Amino acid sequence: MKKEIIIIGGGIVGSTAAFYLSRESKDHITLIDSGNGTATRAAAGIICPWLSQRRNMDWYRLTSQGASFYQTLMNDLKKANLSDLPYQQKGTLVFKNKVRLVEKLYHIAKERQKNAEMMGDLSLYPSQEIHDLIPQLEGDQGAVLATGGGRLDGAALLDALQDQFVKNGGTIIKGQASLTKKETVQVNQQELDYDQIILASGAWLPQLLGPLGYQVDISPQKGQLFEVQTDFQTDNWPGCMLHGEIDILPFEKGKLVIGASHENKKGFDLSIDEAIITKMKETATSLIPSLANYSISKVRVGTRAYTSDFLPFYGNLKDNPKIWVASGLGSSGLTSGPFIGWQLTKEMLGQNLNFDPSPYSPEQYIKKIEESSD
Ligand SMILES: Cc1cc2nc3c(=O)[nH]c(=O)nc-3n(C[C@H](O)[C@H](O)[C@H](O)COP(=O)(O)OP(=O)(O)OC[C@H]3O[C@@H](n4cnc5c(N)ncnc54)[C@H](O)[C@@H]3O)c2cc1C
């Protein structure tokens, strides 16, 4: 008999899980998404963990696997006849304002390159060569270039995954879901039974699990970024990670996506904060002065999910084997998200993982604080 599998959350984790489950199992799968505050839809991201200086090895292990997994995911989407892929490897440039810091980063990346084929070629970029690559850029910063760095349009990836999911027989329900103690899901005045459920609900996981008596170590963080339509020849620009929070992400035909802010203590607020957008534009304009000639065409706002040690978690709840969870992907969730969604699917289907998930086990972040009264 077909099992009923429900996925709550249509962000990058839930949509990847929906895509692979609908391909690889005969069960009936329903994806429920409220569409509210989705971090993945707000984000346009750089996929390049190899040039990060975060020291946590568990974080690096997961995000470097995540970045490499994009090759598999894009091949799988191509096999499903998708031609306009939302991910491209145009390279990533990480800027540092001191030669010493550029060289330090280059040496770290060189070490990592031995085990990271997807990183591509590495080079030290003196400022003159950067100007040849991006003529509009001013200043004398040096940078490290990894040719395998990728750029992703989060919204386009979700649309592609969800389209394929529906073609594979999956059902999408738009609405706000809640869990009951009777092991059902309530959404849009319907009550749905499940055999297995994946909670890929990003920053909203505490609200979903709270009524079942669980406390979840997740906090929301507001992120804003903006788009500018320029006349620059951006098609082959690499993604640029500048100092501080600002990344400049080039897309085709002159479109630049710039940001993002990392705002704590704003809860689930999705309003546009003009002061923050103006400040980010000023920072970007100090490096690309001609940006001042273009106005902002769009602002995107989303809510990231953070754990107190900034590591994501995913897997099965040991005291409730019907429930699978994933959250806490923070500011690198576009990088790790598809891999996490795929690993959840494999674990659920009892397939070989080839990856040790124990550092990301949910028990460290989810505690039962009261027994269900039903
Ligand atoms: C502005 C911004 C820029 C970013 N830039 C980058 C970057 O450059 N590189 C990178 O790697 N990462 C980046 N990130 C981080 C990345 O986008 C997130 O970590 C990742 O998308 C989280 O995916 P998710 O699937 O866990 O959650 P989400 O994408 O937030 O999806 C969760 C979904 O669940 C839904 N949901 C929640 N509760 C319920 C419920 N009860 N019923 C129904 N639906 C529900 C929500 O509405 C949402 O649609 C950025 C994030 C932001 C906001």
Side-chain angles (χ1 to χ4, degrees):
M1 209 174 78
K2 277 190 176 192
K3 280 200 253 165
E4 286 297 327
I5 300 180
I6 293 180
I7 301 168
I8 300 182
I12 200 161
V13 176
S15 301
T16 309
F19 170 65
Y20 280 107
L21 273 175
S22 65
R23 255 181 37 143
E24 291 173 28
S25 93
K26 302 251 176 301
D27 297 326
H28 182 243
I29 304 148
T30 305
L31 174 66
I32 306 174
D33 188 48
S34 73
N36 185 32
T38 317
T40 314
R41 279 202 187 274
I46 291 183
I47 310 296
C48 189
W50 314 290
L51 297 187
S52 165
Q53 284 181 277
R54 269 181 78 166
R55 288 164 192 266
N56 186 306
M57 284 316 294
D58 289 327
W59 176 85
Y60 179 72
R61 191 172 148 264
L62 184 63
T63 51
S64 56
Q65 281 284 335
S68 302
F69 179 66
Y70 267 92
Q71 211 155 41
T72 307
L73 181 62
M74 290 306 121
N75 282 337
D76 289 339
L77 284 173
K78 259 195 257 169
K79 276 187 224 150
N81 287 332
L82 190 82
S83 52
D84 200 6
L85 295 174
Y87 165 85
Q88 284 102 26
Q89 282 178 284
K90 298 282 184 179
T92 301
L93 268 177
V94 176
F95 290 80
K96 297 283 169 194
N97 52 8
K98 293 198 172 73
V99 175
R100 176 176 58 80
L101 297 179
V102 179
E103 284 170 355
K104 184 175 167 204
L105 177 60
Y106 178 76
H107 289 300
I108 293 172
K110 205 72 198 151
E111 252 330 282
R112 289 177 172 168
Q113 193 185 29
K114 295 173 190 159
N115 300 311
E117 208 181 300
M118 278 274 284
M119 188 196 291
D121 295 329
L122 263 183
S123 45
L124 270 171
Y125 253 67
S127 56
Q128 183 49 49
E129 285 176 37
I130 293 174
H131 285 271
D132 295 343
L133 202 63
I134 306 176
Q136 288 81 1
L137 201 71
E138 291 212 350
D140 57 359
Q141 313 90 346
V144 178
L145 174 75
T147 56
R151 69 181 184 206
L152 176 80
D153 182 335
L157 177 63
L158 294 191
D159 290 342
L161 291 168
Q162 291 178 15
D163 273 4
Q164 291 308 318
F165 169 65
V166 171
K167 282 186 187 142
N168 293 342
T171 305
I172 297 184
I173 298 178
K174 187 162 170 50
Q176 181 73 23
S178 56
L179 302 179
T180 73
K181 289 181 176 173
K182 297 181 290 178
E183 297 194 337
T184 60
V185 172
Q186 282 184 334
V187 59
N188 303 342
Q189 277 96 46
Q190 300 176 65
E191 187 148 352
L192 308 176
D193 290 314
Y194 59 84
D195 295 295
Q196 302 269 292
I197 189 162
I198 298 179
L199 309 179
S201 51
W204 297 266
L205 186 62
Q207 286 83 336
L208 261 180
L209 279 175
L212 300 191
Y214 292 97
Q215 194 171 51
V216 186
D217 171 11
I218 283 290
S219 308
Q221 185 191 60
K222 181 175 175 182
Q224 305 184 69
L225 46 72
F226 63 93
E227 292 180 13
V228 182
Q229 185 57 51
T230 70
D231 299 318
F232 308 156
Q233 300 295 321
T234 53
D235 291 13
N236 291 316
W237 281 18
C240 298
M241 300 177 83
L242 311 176
H243 321 292
E245 291 189 326
I246 302 292
D247 295 341
I248 298 181
L249 203 60
F251 285 87
E252 259 101 59
K253 300 190 182 116
K255 182 170 122 179
L256 295 178
V257 178
I258 300 174
S261 66
H262 294 74
E263 301 166 59
N264 297 317
K265 303 201 175 114
K266 295 277 178 73
F268 293 89
D269 173 34
L270 292 174
S271 61
I272 295 172
D273 186 331
E274 297 289 352
I276 288 182
I277 299 294
T278 305
K279 183 110 193 49
M280 289 197 294
K281 189 168 180 216
E282 277 168 13
T283 308
T285 306
S286 68
L287 288 142
I288 303 185
S290 45
L291 267 181
N293 303 330
Y294 300 95
S295 46
I296 291 170
S297 51
K298 191 172 175 185
V299 175
R300 308 193 209 166
V301 189
T303 309
R304 303 183 190 89
Y306 270 91
T307 59
S308 48
D309 66 1
F310 304 102
L311 264 191
F313 59 82
Y314 66 91
N316 204 201
L317 289 191
K318 292 287 170 282
D319 63 345
N320 195 334
K322 285 185 167 186
I323 301 183
W324 299 77
V325 294
S327 185
L329 279 66
S331 52
S332 47
L334 292 185
T335 312
S336 60
F339 181 71
I340 290 176
W342 183 61
Q343 289 284 299
L344 274 178
T345 305
K346 283 167 84 75
E347 232 179 304
M348 214 168 170
L349 298 176
Q351 296 174 356
N352 197 353
L353 295 180
N354 297 325
F355 183 81
D356 174 16
S358 55
Y360 320 100
S361 135
E363 283 98 88
Q364 302 164 57
Y365 304 93
I366 300 179
K367 305 272 179 256
K368 188 94 182 187
I369 49 168
E370 59 174 71
E371 282 307 311
S372 162
S373 54
D374 288 351

